């Protein structure tokens, strides 16, 4: 593995020409301008969050408010993603720490990812609004939590899959060097998971854009909540049939997505290439233009070479102390990873608190479910069958096209940067904004509502599989590709002996998250309201959406519980066994 994997500083050019380029004045100017814009954005968002809350927030459909609305939506997405990434790293590490932890935490993650976003709405929104009744921060935090629920789970699964797939040789090397748990995390776990984390981060952002409308504008019974942002702008424009405003809103969202691709995702993809596990030199990827500009900044060079290393050393000592460990060099005889008394106490208190909360929640739900009539349960049963068939069909169609396309992109380093931007745009495009128009077009066709629901379900779930397959294909070591070429493998033999074994762990991870995302997407695919009319394709998602809109919380909880039970059962009986089989048979050992 490259020596840069073990580096904690930002790699900078080493030849004389680029060293002179590092002092370019305009690069520092761009950095200062970016910092100024960042400071302005923070101040503006903070002013919005701390402003007094009004009962009705009007959404203006003029182009002059779009930059400010874009800033508000982007801020919610950034905060939600930061929380999602932190959750994914911590939860994925706990999942991979031991078999006992996996037996407890894996079902919990299955339950969390199977709960639809609308089922989070009543408790989350009402609780946070009650906690901050006079300020906007309550609704803002509610929107962030809702975006978090559609971003976090695939990151946790992705990081867990990477940890259980780390080659045994690298684990043994970490033991030989007596790395502490924090050092193992920063020098082995994170570098090995970098490529799938970057691709799944793009998927999380795309899914966040997909559900942005549901997060910024929603109704609970007779209460209606709105937040200024691109999602609410597009939703109001679609509801009013204002095609000009709808086009401007979609154009603004596309500009933001393209800007993020140029300024963030392309540099990250280029940087992630250095973390491929291989012993031979692979095809180097052309650095992103933004990366080359940043390498010319004197300020960033000073931060990388002088300011960040001391901060990193302080952070490392603090984390080692928090985990009850010393540094590897100062405690050569220490067994790293042994739990301390404080850690055991915290774990015991955590499980006790979870137990009390679970007992209270089960009692409360039991009372609500007992009052539900038989007809409601029959409706839930019919909806479950319809949604199961719809989700299964969507997954089969997804696998049929994402595997060959994802492999073609991931196995060709020249294609990846060119196609990635297009994929990011298409995956992030809010199909929910165009779905009312799709309904009006296909509703007159035979099975029109079913076709429309399946289309939206595909648009909301297929990207999980595609992005994971691309990441898996890109991570296949170069020496294995060269060995396949020397053995003159071609056609089906190359797929059977090289490609499929190389992408199996990532493919299964994508399918698990896609299945959970598909069940979540049924709430927007099976029930659509447009210009005062409701269009239902039938299904469990339709029951959840309609009950949430009507404020029928008993039916909402019953349908949600049914969906959770079904998804957890499928994960335990089918997906879990398939994942363990794949992770054991297809490791880079």
């Amino acid at each position: 593995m490259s020596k840069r994997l073990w580096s904690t500083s930002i790699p900078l050019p080493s030849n004389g020409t680029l060293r002179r380029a590092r002092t370019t004045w305009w690069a520092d100017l761009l950095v200062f301008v970016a910092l100024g814009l960042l400071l302005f954005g923070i101040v503006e968002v903070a002013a919005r969050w701390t402003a007094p809350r009004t009962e009705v927030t009007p959404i203006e459909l003029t182009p002059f408010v779009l930059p400010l609305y874009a800033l508000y939506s982007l801020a919610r997405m950034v905060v939600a993603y930061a929380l999602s990434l932190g959750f994914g790293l911590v939860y994925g590490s706990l999942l991979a720490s031991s078999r006992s932890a996996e037996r407890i935490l894996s079902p919990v993650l299955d339950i969390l990812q199977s709960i639809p976003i609308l089922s989070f709405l009543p408790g989350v929104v009402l609780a946070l609004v009650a906690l901050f009744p006079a300020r906007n921060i309550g609704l803002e935090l509610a929107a962030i939590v809702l975006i978090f629920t559609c971003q976090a789970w695939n990151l946790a699964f992705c990081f867990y899959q990477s940890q259980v797939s780390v080659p045994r040789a690298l684990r043994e090397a970490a033991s030989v060097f007596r790395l502490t748990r924090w050092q193992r995390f920063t020098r082995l776990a994170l570098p090995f998971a970098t490529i799938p984390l970057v691709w799944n981060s793009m998927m999380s952002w795309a899914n966040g854009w997909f559900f942005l409308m549901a997060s910024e504008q929603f109704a609970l019974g007779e209460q209606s909540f709105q937040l200024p942002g691109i999602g609410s702008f597009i939703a109001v424009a679609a509801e009013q049939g204002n095609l000009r405003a709808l086009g401007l809103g979609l154009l603004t969202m596309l500009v933001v997505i393209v800007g993020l691709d140029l300024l963030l995702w392309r540099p990250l993809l280029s940087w992630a290439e250095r973390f491929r596990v291989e012993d031979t030199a692979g095809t180097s990827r052309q650095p992103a233009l933004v990366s080359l500009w940043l390498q010319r900044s004197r300020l960033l060079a000073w931060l990388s070479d002088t300011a960040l290393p001391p901060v990193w050393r302080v952070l490392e000592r603090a984390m080692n102390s928090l985990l009850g460990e010393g540094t590897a060099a100062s405690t050569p005889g220490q067994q790293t990873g042994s739990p301390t008394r404080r850690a055991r106490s915290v774990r015991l208190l955590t499980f006790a608190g979870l137990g009390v909360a679970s007992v209270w929640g089960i009692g409360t739900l039991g009372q609500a479910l007992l009052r539900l009539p038989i007809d409601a349960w029959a409706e839930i049963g019919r909806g479950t069958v319809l949604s199961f068939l719809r989700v299964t069909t969507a997954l089969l169609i997804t696998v049929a096209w994402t595997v060959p396309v994802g492999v073609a992109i991931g196995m060709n380093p020249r294609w990846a940067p060119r196609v990635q931007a297009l994929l990011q745009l298409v995956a992030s495009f809010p199909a929910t904004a165009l779905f009312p128009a799709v309904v009006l077009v296909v509703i007159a066709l035979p099975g029109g509502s079913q076709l429309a629901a399946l289309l939206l379900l595909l648009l909301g779930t297929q990207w999980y599989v595609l992005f994971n397959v691309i990441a898996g294909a890109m991570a296949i070591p170069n020496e294995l590709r060269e060995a396949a070429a020397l053995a003159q493998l071609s056609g089906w033999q190359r797929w059977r002996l090289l490609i499929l074994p190389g992408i199996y762990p990532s493919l299964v991870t994508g399918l698990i998250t896609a299945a959970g995302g598909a069940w979540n997407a049924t709430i927007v695919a099976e029930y659509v309201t447009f210009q005062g009319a409701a269009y239902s394709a039938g299904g469990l998602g339709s029951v959840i959406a309609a009950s949430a809109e009507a404020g029928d919380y008993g039916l909402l909880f019953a349908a949600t519980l049914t969906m959770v039970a079904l998804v957890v059962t499928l994960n335990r009986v089918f997906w879990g066994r398939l994942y363990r089989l794949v992770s054991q048979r297809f490791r880079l050992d």
Side-chain angles (χ1 to χ4, degrees):
M1 190 176 291
S2 171
K3 290 183 178 180
R4 291 200 186 279
L5 185 151
W6 309 93
S7 174
T8 59
S9 62
I10 301 172
L12 292 170
S14 57
N15 60 67
T17 302
L18 290 184
R19 282 185 182 277
R20 288 193 299 271
R22 283 172 53 182
T23 62
T24 304
W25 63 269
W26 55 262
D28 286 321
L29 179 61
L30 290 177
V31 171
F32 278 115
V33 170
L35 291 176
L37 292 175
L38 177 63
L39 180 61
F40 168 79
I42 292 175
V43 172
E44 186 65 35
V45 169
R48 158 68 196 172
W49 286 19
T50 57
R53 189 171 76 89
T54 57
E55 291 299 325
V56 178
T57 302
I59 303 300
E60 302 179 31
L61 296 184
T62 62
F64 306 104
V65 300
L66 281 172
L68 190 59
Y69 281 10
L71 173 63
Y72 291 154
S73 295
L74 188 60
R76 296 176 193 121
M77 294 279 289
V78 168
V79 176
Y81 172 73
L83 295 175
S84 301
L85 181 60
F87 170 85
L89 295 180
V90 173
Y91 208 97
S93 299
L94 293 176
L95 269 175
S97 61
S98 65
R99 288 290 298 171
S100 58
E102 181 186 3
R103 283 193 292 268
I104 297 173
L105 297 177
S106 184
V108 175
L109 188 60
D110 291 338
I111 293 173
L112 290 175
Q113 77 150 347
S114 62
I115 299 177
I117 185 174
L118 283 183
S119 299
F120 282 100
L121 278 172
V124 171
V125 174
L126 297 179
L128 289 174
V129 170
L131 188 61
F132 302 96
R135 301 291 174 182
N136 289 325
I137 188 172
L139 274 180
E140 293 287 349
L141 290 177
I144 288 171
V145 171
L146 295 176
I147 297 173
F148 166 89
T149 61
C150 62
Q151 287 186 335
W153 321 128
N154 63 304
L155 292 175
F157 273 119
C158 156
F159 192 65
Y160 165 67
Q161 178 261 322
S162 298
Q163 298 320 289
V164 298
S165 303
V166 172
R168 188 176 294 109
L170 294 181
R171 297 182 183 272
E172 293 174 352
S175 300
V176 169
F177 285 104
R178 301 195 187 106
L179 299 184
T180 63
R181 278 184 289 178
W182 176 249
Q183 290 171 332
R184 287 171 182 257
F185 178 76
T186 56
R187 290 162 169 77
L188 178 60
L190 275 179
F192 191 82
T194 296
I195 291 178
L197 273 178
V198 171
W199 280 96
N200 274 274
S201 294
M202 291 191 294
M203 180 64 248
S204 291
W205 272 79
N207 209 34
W209 290 120
F210 186 87
F211 282 101
L212 189 65
M213 290 168 54
S215 302
E216 293 183 345
Q217 179 171 326
F218 43 85
L220 295 177
E222 297 180 355
Q223 291 182 290
S224 179
F225 300 95
Q226 283 185 334
L227 289 172
I230 302 179
S232 57
F233 185 97
I234 294 174
V236 172
E239 180 68 21
Q240 296 181 4
N242 190 334
L243 298 181
R244 178 175 177 274
L246 178 62
L248 288 174
L250 294 175
L251 179 61
T252 302
M253 181 174 286
L254 290 179
V255 169
V256 174
I257 294 171
V258 170
L260 286 172
D261 175 70
L262 294 175
L263 300 176
L264 179 63
W265 299 123
R266 290 196 186 187
L268 277 178
L269 285 172
S270 177
W271 171 76
E273 281 293 309
R274 68 191 65 215
F275 297 112
R276 293 181 59 180
V277 181
E278 55 187 21
D279 297 325
T280 61
T283 305
S284 59
R285 182 170 180 168
Q286 181 68 26
L289 184 60
V290 174
S291 300
L292 296 177
W293 286 353
L294 294 179
Q295 289 171 358
R296 292 171 169 82
S297 170
R298 183 187 296 107
L299 176 60
L300 292 183
W302 176 81
L303 288 174
S304 174
D305 299 337
T306 307
L308 290 184
V311 175
W312 178 261
R313 287 192 292 268
V314 171
L315 176 62
E316 189 170 56
R317 285 196 296 267
M319 292 303 300
N320 285 328
S321 175
L322 181 64
L323 295 172
E325 298 173 318
T327 61
S330 61
T331 56
Q334 183 182 10
Q335 289 183 345
T336 61
S338 58
T340 63
R341 181 178 301 177
R342 180 172 55 184
R344 286 195 296 267
S345 301
V346 171
R347 190 179 306 144
L348 181 61
L349 290 174
T350 301
F351 284 124
L354 290 175
V356 172
S358 299
V359 171
W360 176 82
I362 291 173
T364 304
L365 282 176
Q367 294 178 358
L369 296 178
L370 289 175
R371 294 192 295 266
L372 206 64
I374 298 298
D375 293 342
W377 286 108
E379 182 184 3
I380 291 174
R382 291 192 297 269
T384 301
V385 174
L386 287 175
S387 293
F388 177 79
L389 295 175
R390 196 172 287 124
V391 168
T392 303
T393 303
L395 290 179
L396 292 176
I397 296 175
T398 294
V399 172
W401 81 268
T402 56
V403 171
V405 172
V407 168
I409 296 172
M411 297 290 285
N412 192 328
R414 295 182 179 179
W415 282 21
R418 301 173 184 175
V419 180
Q420 171 264 326
L422 179 61
L423 289 178
Q424 183 70 10
L425 285 176
V426 177
S428 302
F429 196 80
T432 48
L434 300 180
F435 193 60
V438 174
V439 171
L440 293 179
V441 172
V442 303
I443 197 66
L445 301 176
S449 60
Q450 303 297 327
L451 177 60
L454 182 61
L455 287 175
L456 188 62
L457 206 60
L458 282 170
L459 292 173
T461 59
Q462 59 192 356
W463 312 115
Y464 287 107
V465 182
L466 179 61
F467 280 44
N468 275 279
V469 170
I470 293 174
M474 291 180 63
I476 296 177
N478 192 59
E479 58 265 24
L480 294 184
R481 305 186 191 194
E482 294 180 353
L486 290 175
Q488 296 182 347
L489 297 181
S490 60
W492 171 242
Q493 280 189 324
R494 187 168 183 263
W495 275 86
R496 184 173 62 89
L497 299 177
L498 173 67
I499 297 175
L500 289 179
I503 68 170
Y504 269 145
S506 297
L507 174 61
V508 174
T509 300
L511 284 171
I512 292 174
T513 53
W519 284 103
N520 205 333
T522 56
I523 62 175
V524 294
E526 296 176 349
Y527 187 85
V528 178
T529 58
F530 182 59
Q531 293 184 345
Y535 300 89
S536 175
L540 194 55
S542 176
V543 175
I544 292 174
S547 58
E549 183 177 342
D552 188 349
Y553 297 131
L555 182 59
L556 174 63
F557 292 151
T560 300
L561 184 62
T562 302
M563 183 176 290
V564 169
L566 179 61
V567 173
V568 171
T569 301
L570 290 174
N571 285 350
R572 296 293 94 193
V573 174
F574 179 70
W575 293 116
R577 294 181 180 179
L578 180 61
Y579 187 83
R580 285 191 293 272
L581 174 65
V582 167
S583 62
Q584 291 170 3
R585 292 190 58 184
F586 303 102
R587 295 167 59 95
L588 289 174
D589 288 330

